[in-house]
Amino acid sequence: MLIQSAEESFRRGVNALGNGAHLEALAMFEAAIELERRLGAGGIQARYLSAYGLCLARHARRAREGVYFCREAVQKEPYNPDLHANLGWACLAAGRRREAHEALERGRRLQPEHEDILRAMAEMGRRRPPVLPFLARSHPLNVLLGKLFRSGAASASAAGDRGPAVRQAG
């Protein structure tokens, strides 16, 4: 059952996020979740949890908590590529690249041309092969040589906030 006041709060949060008002967006997503809880909905909508989690991870510097909410959303609607995209972005904010890649791959299998998923994957970049392929990637020699040969370019995420766009589709 759709609760109109919660939906309006969610829409306002999406608009605030689009305008760069991150704290306002966070408050609106939190309000949408609280309204769903208070007004007895059959459960909190996954997209509300996901948007809230994404905002926590990327803009409130509460990445662990943000990843938790995004995971909860994906568990509720594993068929929704938007939720996988948000989980991927939240995991990136938390420094969990492997988990981010896994979430983005699951979302890409659901919708191969998903804009946010492709953008997140491009931002992550691709791993180079280990310097010494006959040793494990985690071997101290590969780690040391990899650091020595790594380019000095700053990561794409440090270049600015070109992050995801929270979608309103439900």
Side-chain angles (χ1 to χ4, degrees):
M1 180 170 107
L2 189 67
I3 296 177
Q4 198 58 40
S5 56
E7 185 64 21
E8 179 59 30
S9 184
F10 175 74
R11 284 191 192 122
R12 289 176 64 193
V14 169
N15 290 336
L17 194 58
N19 293 328
H22 304 131
L23 291 178
E24 181 183 345
L26 186 63
M28 291 294 107
F29 295 143
E30 192 170 348
I33 290 170
E34 188 58 34
L35 285 166
E36 289 252 322
R37 277 191 186 128
R38 260 196 268 140
L39 298 176
I44 299 165
Q45 289 196 39
R47 60 196 174 111
Y48 296 179
L49 293 171
S50 183
Y52 179 62
L54 178 65
C55 233
L56 282 173
R58 290 186 57 96
H59 306 296
R61 305 221 187 282
R62 292 164 53 191
R64 176 182 281 164
E65 192 177 354
V67 168
Y68 170 82
F69 282 107
C70 288
R71 274 195 205 126
E72 189 175 328
V74 166
Q75 286 177 352
K76 288 178 119 190
E77 291 183 13
Y79 51 84
N80 187 335
D82 293 337
L83 304 182
H84 288 280
N86 288 351
L87 175 57
W89 284 110
C91 288
L92 279 176
R96 299 178 182 175
R97 291 178 56 84
R98 177 177 288 154
E99 189 176 347
H101 185 265
E102 290 168 359
L104 295 168
E105 276 298 327
R106 283 191 305 271
R108 195 166 62 109
R109 281 193 296 272
L110 294 169
Q111 187 177 342
E113 298 300 317
H114 192 282
E115 193 176 303
D116 286 339
I117 291 173
L118 295 177
R119 187 174 337 120
M121 292 182 103
E123 187 171 308
M124 279 182 67
R126 299 222 185 263
R127 281 183 119 178
R128 295 180 190 162
V131 178
L132 303 173
F134 54 87
L135 293 175
R137 179 180 297 281
S138 60
H139 190 281
L141 278 176
N142 264 333
V143 172
L144 176 65
L145 291 173
K147 287 179 181 178
L148 289 173
F149 293 125
R150 179 178 49 198
S151 69
S155 70
S157 63
D161 187 14
R162 294 171 293 196
V166 175
R167 297 178 184 261
Q168 290 192 46

